[in-house]
């Protein structure tokens, strides 16, 4: 978890490479569906490009279709609302699976805006424009930030400072992951 521009995608890719988990990056999946012009892609395009969150029902369906049984998954960018978190909990219970831990990348807002603007030049993502960045941060504050206390209460939230060297942040995450993997 983390606000837009915190480095979730970058760190997630490092983790799946190291541990061979299955990576479920909901933003990437949505962008791919938009690119292919699927019916789901068409349904979500305007929302994604304006920086709004996609409705829970659609997101839950998308994640459920990817969580086939067995193996270890890294969820990147999901859940982003309380409704999604509750649905995920139910889904995992139904499958006899569990959430091992929630990693939260903390980055100050001024830094996020700078990073997102840089990314808009480098990658040309349709949702990295100044106006859309504000919408995404608002969505984050209103709908996603409350998940921090949700997971804190469950004792599975791990905060990682997301400022500084990418490798160093990766090392801190790896330490947490190693602890989680070695505990019963
Ligand atoms: P990301 O690549 O994770 O920044 O996601 C890009 C966009 O996809 C977001 O701004 C949302 O419009 C949409 N999106 C991705 N994941 C979710 C989610 N879990 N819930 C709702 N919308 C999502």
């Amino acid at each position: 978890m983390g606000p837009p521009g915190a480095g979730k995608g970058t760190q997630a890719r490092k983790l799946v490479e190291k541990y061979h988990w299955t990576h479920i990056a909901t933003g990437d999946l949505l962008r791919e569906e938009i690119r292919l012009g699927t019916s789901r892609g068409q349904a979500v395009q305007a929302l994604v490009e304006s920086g709004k969150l996609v409705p829970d029902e659609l997101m839950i369906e998308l994640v459920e279709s990817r969580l086939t049984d067995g193996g270890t998954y890294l969820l990147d960018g999901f859940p982003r609302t309380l409704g999604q978190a509750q649905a995920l909990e139910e889904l995992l219970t139904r499958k006899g699976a569990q959430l091992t831990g929630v990693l939260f990348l903390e980055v100050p807002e001024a830094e996020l805006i700078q990073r997102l603007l840089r990314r808009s030049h480098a990658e040309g993502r349709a949702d990295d424009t100044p106006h859309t960045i504000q919408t995404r941060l608002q969505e984050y504050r209103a709908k996603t930030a409350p998940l921090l206390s949700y997971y804190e209460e469950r004792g599975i939230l791990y905060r990682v400072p997301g400022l500084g060297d990418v490798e160093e942040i990766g090392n801190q995450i790896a330490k947490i992951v190693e602890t989680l993997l070695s505990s019963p």
Side-chain angles (χ1 to χ4, degrees), residues 137-167:
L137 288 170
Q138 274 164 19
E139 289 280 80
Y140 172 79
R141 283 192 294 262
K143 298 175 185 166
T144 309
L147 287 185
L148 294 182
S149 47
Y150 179 85
Y151 286 122
E152 208 149 41
E153 280 163 20
R154 283 159 177 71
I156 53 171
L157 184 74
Y158 298 87
R159 293 173 188 264
V160 181
L163 264 187
D165 183 55
V166 174
E167 294 297 323

Side-chain angles (χ1 to χ4, degrees), residues 19 100 158 171-184:
Y19 295 103
T100 315
Y158 298 87
N171 292 340
Q172 292 197 41
I173 292 176
K175 267 191 216 148
I176 298 170
V177 168
E178 293 296 334
T179 310
L180 287 172
L181 293 180
S182 61
S183 56

Side-chain angles (χ1 to χ4, degrees), residues 1 7-9 27 38 51 63-65 83 96 103 125 151 157 168 181:
M1 281 186 65
K8 297 187 292 293
T38 65
V63 169
E64 184 162 8
S65 73
L103 289 160
R125 247 178 74 162
Y151 286 122
L157 184 74
E168 182 46 40
L181 293 180

